[in-house]
Amino acid sequence: MAEIEIFDGHNDAVQFIAEYTSAGRDFLLRSESGHLDLPRAREGGLVGGLFALHAGPEHPPENDLIIREDGYEVIYAETVDPLYARRQIEAQRLALETLIGRSGGRMRLAVDVEEIAAARAEGAFAVVLHMEGAEALDGEFDYLHRLHAAGLRSLGPVWSRPNIFGFGVPFAHPKSPDTGPGLTGSGKDLVRTCNRLGIMIDLAHLNERGFWDVAALSDAPLVATHACAHAICPSTRNLTDRQLDAIRDSDGVIGFNLSVNDIRADGHLNDDTPLDLVVEHIKYLIDRVGEDRVALGSDFDGAVIPRAIGDASGLPHLFEAMRKRGFDQQSLSKFAFDNWLRVFALTWKNGRSA
């Protein structure tokens, strides 16, 4: 099989880099901790990805997980204070900027498809800024404009908790993603503003009513950067067939999430999840929406992933399993790289001049 180059639709590595936290790891050196650093990315064929900025809770909850005989439920995370969130987001953005500068050209911030393609051609790792949850914003969107000028190209209005823009979907299995109200008035304004700026709207972590609110408002393709199929694994985080069809009809993309509890039908947090099962789930999505509309959205450093992959360096095992299942080189290239670039080209506007 020819070498596959991969662009990943979602990772949480910024939370663990040394520039952001004193207990973090050096992203430029190979580590045995976590899932992602530059050496392991290179070993696995990764040439770039969306790096999530995300504000954690000010007061981490205790005993928030309820285990039942037939599944689980995580109690809603608290709403985060906007000023607290903004301090975290800005610290993470500056930490990533420092890391890119320290890389000596091995990593580059990319704000349009041409810069991603140029980085790939020149052997640099392309970093695209994403924000997972918009708690750091206010209803005036001044900070959103500043983030866009600094390179932000993808945004999820909510994480799995409520904010002024809408209601995230709490983690639960088995359960419908239709868990409550959708977007607020400010959330609808946020969608319109992102459309004007050319910021991709990420539907991951948004509940079903919020999904349909975005679908009704947005003039861009619908995208979920890291999600799976609810028909296979009835997790609240996964997309129903009707939602998948809406993404297909908008010419959008689903980033396939490697989180085992969203892949497995039983929802178990078990890394002994066979690659055959993973590939069967990918095949279901592609059969539903087409091979142009499914890509990789790993959730590295934010999930338990299959042991057979292990970390970013193990991605070739996934692609080999897909090849054995009958995926040809063109299909693999679309899943690995081309589908993200296609939807970025349909969504982003004006690059650095915006």
Side-chain angles (χ1 to χ4, degrees), residues 28 38 42 47 97-109 115 118-127:
L28 302 180
L38 189 59
R42 291 305 195 195
V47 297
E97 183 180 281
T98 300
L99 170 62
I100 291 170
R102 191 166 62 84
S103 76
R106 287 176 287 171
M107 301 174 67
R108 294 184 192 171
L109 180 68
E115 291 187 352
R120 179 190 191 187
E122 296 166 21
F125 187 85
V127 173

Side-chain angles (χ1 to χ4, degrees), residues 128-144:
V128 176
L129 286 185
H130 167 73
M131 188 162 68
E132 187 174 34
E135 287 87 354
L137 307 181
D138 58 29
E140 300 302 317
F141 304 126
D142 291 341
Y143 185 53
L144 177 62

Side-chain angles (χ1 to χ4, degrees), residues 44 60 72 159 336 342:
Y72 65 86
W159 185 69
R342 180 187 63 78

